[in-house]
Amino acid sequence: MAKIDFLSLLDFERAGLDEILEKAARLKAELRAGRRSEPLRGQVLGVIFHKPSLRTRISFEVGMQQLGGGSLYITDQEIGFGKREAIKDIGAVMSRFLSGIMIRTFAQSHVDELARWASVPVINGLTDWVHPCQIMADLMTVREHGFDLDAIRVAWIGDGNNVANTWIHAARAYGFEITLACPAGHDPDPESVARVQQSGRGKVTLVRDPREAARGAQVVITDTWTSMGQEAEAQERRRQFASYQVNRELLKLADPRAIVMHCLPAHRGEEITDDVIDGPQSVVYDEAENRLHAQKGILLHCLG
Ligand code: CP
Ligand code: NVA
């Protein structure tokens, strides 16, 4: 049987994603009820990080423990990805020791190449292009808050970054509508937008005015103006994104039942105000917690 990687949501149809979300919901309910099964007993996941992390690292390492397995954290200092050693050799050798590999890095092509040479499943823990594990937790959170994934209108405010691209991929799978308000020069990946348009499922609209995106939305999402790796541009970005803030005034335009999401880490007072992120419509900590449950769903799907 072919191995199952988790590299991008574009590789999955709705049924496959639903299967993962169902596993995640079941594992969450079991954990809450104090019941533990250990379906990944004896398996070890290697986790490679070329960028910092709080949620992704903890959710994968704790998730593996809760599923009865273990994890091994490796930094670039150890492996010198593509420098000390070719990605091909790293993939082949790690596969001889481990049951799976989770990687957070810059270039999507490096993740794809690792997956090509690894005989064990490779899971994408964020690249400059996408953050598929995050959006699984986000979709789970949207459902838990009572929304139907077919019927939501999503407003993305801010940078057309990796998280935005992955939400666009989710729109293709589930057929929902997403409107992104990004400043000129910071639109999401045009190929991802085109994929939705070609699929005939879901709708992506790009606007410049955040109010146009927020109006009537059930899910309002933002993310940092400066993603990991863009730190040198932070000051310039603060200027370019100044009017792309999720604040109380903007939120008033959304559906009154709307939830506010942010993958975190947040820059309070920049892309989102304190009163909104700490307010009654914010679900950011549910979203963060669901990283654990969603990751376990993905682990079971790929390694189980
Ligand atoms: N949301 C998210 O991926 O958080 P970390 O960068 O802390 O893993
Ligand atoms: N867009 C952010 C997401 C962090 C989880 C980044 O890439 O830094």
Side-chain angles (χ1 to χ4, degrees):
M1 210 177 74
K3 66 170 175 138
I4 306 172
D5 296 312
F6 192 79
L7 306 179
S8 148
L9 297 193
L10 284 178
D11 300 335
F12 290 84
E13 295 305 325
R14 181 192 176 131
L17 298 181
D18 271 343
E19 222 179 282
I20 295 172
L21 291 177
E22 279 153 25
K23 286 189 177 92
R26 179 173 54 75
L27 291 165
K28 182 173 183 176
E30 279 178 14
L31 187 70
R32 291 258 161 110
R35 285 198 310 274
R36 287 252 184 120
S37 55
E38 298 196 327
L40 299 187
R41 186 191 294 270
Q43 300 208 35
V44 179
L45 179 78
V47 296
I48 303 176
F49 282 90
H50 295 158
K51 295 180 179 183
S53 170
L54 173 72
R55 283 143 289 269
T56 306
R57 179 173 176 190
I58 297 180
S59 58
F60 272 105
E61 296 210 62
V62 172
M64 276 306 288
Q65 279 185 35
Q66 290 181 352
L67 293 168
S71 62
L72 183 74
Y73 176 78
I74 316 152
T75 67
D76 204 39
Q77 227 121 52
E78 277 94 18
I79 51 177
F81 202 78
K83 295 190 187 82
R84 179 174 184 263
E85 195 156 359
I87 296 175
K88 174 180 182 174
D89 295 335
I90 294 172
V93 172
M94 285 182 83
S95 301
R96 299 290 177 106
F97 301 126
L98 298 160
S99 318
I101 305 166
M102 194 251 40
I103 177 164
R104 164 171 288 192
T105 191
F106 294 86
Q108 178 71 25
S109 60
H110 288 172
V111 177
D112 295 340
E113 194 182 342
L114 184 69
R116 183 167 161 222
W117 299 112
S119 58
V120 297
V122 172
I123 299 171
N124 183 350
L126 180 147
T127 60
D128 293 342
W129 182 50
V130 286
H131 195 359
C133 296
Q134 176 70 50
I135 277 51
M136 294 307 286
D138 291 4
L139 296 172
M140 183 174 180
T141 309
V142 169
R143 272 200 178 144
E144 284 177 350
H145 283 272
F147 294 102
D148 188 342
L149 290 176
D150 304 320
I152 47 170
R153 209 171 75 62
V154 176
W156 176 275
I157 313 294
D159 192 13
N161 62 15
N162 43 9
V163 179
N165 290 335
T166 320
W167 265 98
I168 290 171
H169 299 169
R172 181 201 64 97
Y174 282 94
F176 58 75
E177 203 182 319
I178 180 166
T179 305
L180 300 101
C182 312
H186 299 286
D187 283 335
D189 166 38
E191 272 181 46
S192 296
V193 175
R195 282 290 291 269
V196 181
Q197 281 155 354
Q198 285 152 12
S199 75
R201 284 191 316 278
K203 187 175 169 207
V204 186
T205 310
L206 305 184
V207 297
R208 294 279 173 246
D209 183 352
R211 290 169 302 183
E212 207 178 322
R215 213 163 274 132
Q218 284 83 39
V219 180
V220 177
I221 321 174
T222 188
D223 186 15
T224 180
W225 292 338
T226 303
S227 283
M228 292 180 276
Q230 299 172 329
E231 290 78 6
E233 300 165 23
Q235 208 168 337
E236 174 63 7
R237 284 176 163 266
R238 265 184 219 112
R239 197 185 56 73
Q240 293 170 325
F241 286 87
S243 58
Y244 291 79
Q245 183 186 62
V246 175
N247 52 37
R248 206 158 16 174
E249 206 181 317
L250 188 76
L251 194 55
K252 275 192 200 140
L253 300 172
D255 185 322
R257 299 169 302 149
I259 55 172
V260 175
M261 306 187 78
H262 190 310
C263 65
L264 304 177
H267 300 78
R268 289 162 172 263
E270 293 191 6
E271 74 273 6
I272 193 161
T273 54
D274 280 323
D275 53 356
V276 169
I277 198 168
D278 296 328
Q281 287 170 277
S282 169
V283 299
V284 298
Y285 300 136
D286 293 341
E287 186 184 357
E289 181 195 327
N290 279 339
R291 290 297 303 280
L292 172 66
H293 311 299
Q295 260 63 135
K296 286 164 74 180
I298 294 165
L299 287 167
L300 207 54
H301 190 75
C302 298
L303 272 56

